[in-house]
Each structure stands twice: as C-alpha cells, then as structure tokens.
Amino acid sequence: MQHIIDRFISYAIIDTESDANSTSTPSTFKQFDLANLLVKELKTIGLTDVTIDDNGYVMGTLKSNVDHEVPTIGFVSHYDTSPDFTGKDVKPQIVSNYDGGDIILNKELNIVLSPSYFKDLLLYKGQTLITTNGLTLLGADDKAGLTEIVTAMEYLVQHPEIKHGKIRVGFTPDEEIGRGADIFDVEKFGAQWAYTMDGSQIGELEYENFNAAGAKIIFKGKSVHPGYAKGKMINSMLIANDFINELPKNEIPQETIDYEGFFHVTGISGSLEETKLELIIRDHDMQLFEKRKELVNQIVAKINAKYAAQFGEDICITEVKDQYYNMREKVEPMMFIVDLAEKAMRELGIEPIIKPIRGGTDGSRLSYMGLPCPNIFAGGHNFHGKYEYVPVESMQKAVDVIVKIAELTATTNFS
C-alpha cells in the first residue's frame, strides 16, 4: 500500500484550489501543476492517446487486450479542491494501525480528530489513515479518486492476464465550483458509460444526486446619520437577516439527511448601503426543487413590497441559476451499469451502500451530456475541512473495484 500512499501524497501537496469568482477554465492556473503531472504519469504507466487541452481536461486510453467487441468504459475524477477551506501547504500525516482513539492533528492549536464526534473513524480501527495537520483540508476529494484510477490503470498494464476492453480515463478541473463538466468533450472521450470515483465511505455506490441551484441576492440600503435616521435609514444588513429568517429553520444542511433537501447560506458580506448574500438550493425531487426556488422569489417579492413606498424601487434583487440535475433520470434506463459496479463490489467482499448523493459530481452533469456516470466511493471522510481523512485500505479497495469492473465488462454479455 506504500505505493498508494506515496502517489496520493504527491497529489495532495499540490495546491489546486478552485475559485468560483474566476471566469477562466481552469478557474486557477495552479491547477495545471497537477494536471501536467497526471499527463506525465499516464504516459509513464503506459497509457496511450494521453492529452491535455487548453482548459486543463486530461484524457488517456488503456487499449483493449481482448479480440472481441467490448463496450468502451471510462473512469473520471477531478483534481481541484474546494475553496471552502484552504488547500495551500497541505502537509498530510500518516496514522498507522489506528487504535480507535483521538488523533492529534495539531498539538499547538489543540485540534483533535476524535471518534467521539466523528464516529465513522471507528470503522477503520487497525487501518492506516492519512489526515491533515489541522491547518488545511486534505484533498481526498478528489485526489483519492485520481490515485485510485491511475493506480488501477497501472495495475492493468502490469497484469495483461486480466482481460479488459478499451478504457478511457478523464480528469477535470473546477468540479468543486460546479463547472467541472462545463466543457468536457464527451464525444472525444468516447466511452459508452463511465464512473466517477468521487464518493466517500467504502462501499458507496450512487446514481442519484441533488438538483442544484445557486442564488445571489443583493439588498440595498439607505445611509442616514443615525441621530436623524427615524423613518429614513434602511440598513441592508438587517434586510438580509430578515430574508434568512424567512427561510425554513429546519431545512438546512445540519438538520437534513437522505432525500431531504435544504437551503444553505454560503456567504454574506456587506455594509449599511449594500449587502450581498449567496445561497445554494438542493433537493432530489424536481417538483420540490422548483418550489424551493419559487420560495426564494416569494420572499424577495415580500421584502420589495414592504419597502416599495419608502424606497421607490426594488430593494432586493435576486438571480437564481440552476447548476445541475439529478442523474437518476439518465442512469435508470441503463441500470445495468449500476448493477455491474454492485457485482464488482460483492465479488470483492465489499457490501454496497446504494444511496443518494447529498451533493453533486461531474457525473451528474456528464449524464445529461450523454455519458451516464454513476458514482463510486473514493474512501475519504469529512471533505472540505481540517478534519478530512482517508483510510489507505479504502483506496486500495477502490483500485480493486476499478479493476474488477474492467474485468467484468470484458466478460459480460450486454446484448
């Protein structure tokens, strides 16, 4: 497993944080540092048709080693990390033979990864964990996926006795800001279906995800000397607070689970004269999703009506944009690709955990672009923060699943 550890760390220490405020692709030029390394590695391990385009999309091919027709499949992961928490100067720490107790991430700042709070840790007692040093995220989302795909392709090259068809791999930028599949060339990729290696706990297999939208709302105010403000001042920050208070109190991420949707305020900044609020909207059910967007518009209209006489124009301006949709609609007509992944896991002694994704992946966008793309575990936990960790054994199992899917695809009659 040392090979997996070394490869993962070599990826994790490269800063690839994306930037939602950028209009370029990739959104940060530093993402090319890892993208170019991946190109080099794919060529080194023996893949062909290895390319990187001007927008940082990396693709490569493992040629078929059978003489009969086999569907071309793909494996996809992203190399950017979330801007929610810094990915600069990542210094991974290795915890060998985890004993089930607290893990000191940073002694000086008393930052502790504890199973008393993160109970999933106890699933990995006796295993090797890779953690942060408490100051950054780790980047297992999705550098674990990168590690697994590259390692699996390397293993298949080194073991030609394992029969497989043509396999395409694809690595994308900017998934964390919802733009990873924006200009992914599905036709060039040329796979009949693919799998994103972008899930969490070992065994996860997902073909449903949120419908997603983002809202940007501007609240206008009027600045007047506070001593003479009666009936004249409008504090935009307080209006923004009124908006937040109109949202359902229990429909937020920390109060919801499974198929329950939510509203999530992700950013707020402002002054008396103007406040900007960013909100994301999520729901698996399309009708409920549409109702959530409509509720935002209704609250905005209510605020504007309240201040119409005093302000003389709309005090609240909103822009709601859809980001991605539930891939279930596109995957269900090809459920055999989910069944194939489930069979691969069971043959490896892994109990599949088939559940909806409480988020999105490149696979959701790719499915609507003509590339059905369920999601498979990559092994990490507590993404986007200092408590992120990944068990090495889970990464190895993900490698095994990729190899087994490739093998089953070459030996299954899909007619």
Side-chain angles (χ1 to χ4, degrees), residues 192-261:
Q192 292 175 248
W193 71 84
Y195 301 92
T196 49
M197 303 300 297
D198 195 16
S200 181
Q201 179 181 342
I202 183 170
E204 284 187 3
L205 173 57
E206 301 148 328
Y207 65 94
E208 301 177 75
N209 62 277
F210 278 137
N211 297 294
K216 293 183 179 180
I217 307 169
I218 296 176
F219 302 89
K220 296 179 181 180
K222 279 189 175 182
S223 179
V224 179
H225 188 289
Y228 306 91
K230 177 71 173 179
K232 301 173 184 177
M233 178 187 287
I234 299 177
N235 190 325
S236 72
M237 293 179 286
L238 297 182
I239 307 305
N241 187 61
D242 289 342
F243 174 90
I244 293 172
N245 286 333
E246 288 281 345
L247 296 171
K249 301 295 186 293
N250 61 339
E251 295 180 18
I252 55 178
Q254 58 269 44
E255 297 290 341
T256 52
I257 195 172
D258 297 331
Y259 285 96
E260 296 171 342

Side-chain angles (χ1 to χ4, degrees), residues 299-309 313-317:
I299 297 171
V300 167
K302 180 180 178 180
I303 291 173
N304 283 330
K306 179 179 178 181
Y307 290 92
E313 61 179 327
D314 285 348
I315 196 172
C316 184
I317 302 169

Side-chain angles (χ1 to χ4, degrees), residues 11-12 14-20 25-35 38 55-57 76-87 137-146 171-181 198 360-362 383-384 388:
Y11 299 162
I14 300 174
D15 180 8
T16 57
E17 184 177 319
S18 48
D19 179 6
T25 304
S27 62
T28 52
F29 191 78
K30 59 190 175 184
Q31 292 183 59
F32 274 112
D33 294 341
L34 181 49
L38 290 165
N55 299 115
Y57 289 84
V76 177
S77 63
H78 65 90
Y79 53 78
D80 69 311
T81 60
S82 171
D84 292 347
F85 203 83
T86 182
L137 51 66
L138 180 62
D141 179 13
D142 191 24
K143 292 171 183 177
L146 298 175
F171 304 138
T172 69
D174 292 339
E175 189 270 356
E176 293 292 0
I177 57 173
R179 306 204 308 245
D198 195 16
T361 70
D362 280 340
F383 296 146
H384 300 186
E388 187 179 5

Side-chain angles (χ1 to χ4, degrees), residues 394-405:
S394 294
M395 286 196 284
Q396 179 60 64
K397 286 292 187 181
V399 172
D400 297 342
V401 169
I402 294 171
V403 171
K404 180 59 69 173
I405 288 174

Side-chain angles (χ1 to χ4, degrees), residues 379-398:
H381 287 262
N382 304 338
F383 296 146
H384 300 186
K386 60 191 173 186
Y387 298 108
E388 187 179 5
Y389 70 93
V390 61
V392 179
E393 287 82 354
S394 294
M395 286 196 284
Q396 179 60 64
K397 286 292 187 181

Side-chain angles (χ1 to χ4, degrees), residues 125-159:
K125 190 174 180 179
Q127 298 189 21
T128 299
L129 308 182
I130 305 178
T131 74
T132 75
N133 69 345
L135 302 178
T136 70
L137 51 66
L138 180 62
D141 179 13
D142 191 24
K143 292 171 183 177
L146 298 175
T147 300
E148 293 149 9
I149 293 171
V150 175
T151 303
M153 295 304 105
E154 183 178 42
Y155 186 85
L156 288 170
V157 169
Q158 293 173 350
H159 293 82

Side-chain angles (χ1 to χ4, degrees), residues 305-324:
K306 179 179 178 181
Y307 290 92
Q310 184 179 1
F311 204 72
E313 61 179 327
D314 285 348
I315 196 172
C316 184
I317 302 169
T318 184
E319 178 185 38
V320 180
K321 286 187 175 181
D322 288 355
Q323 296 168 321
Y324 53 81

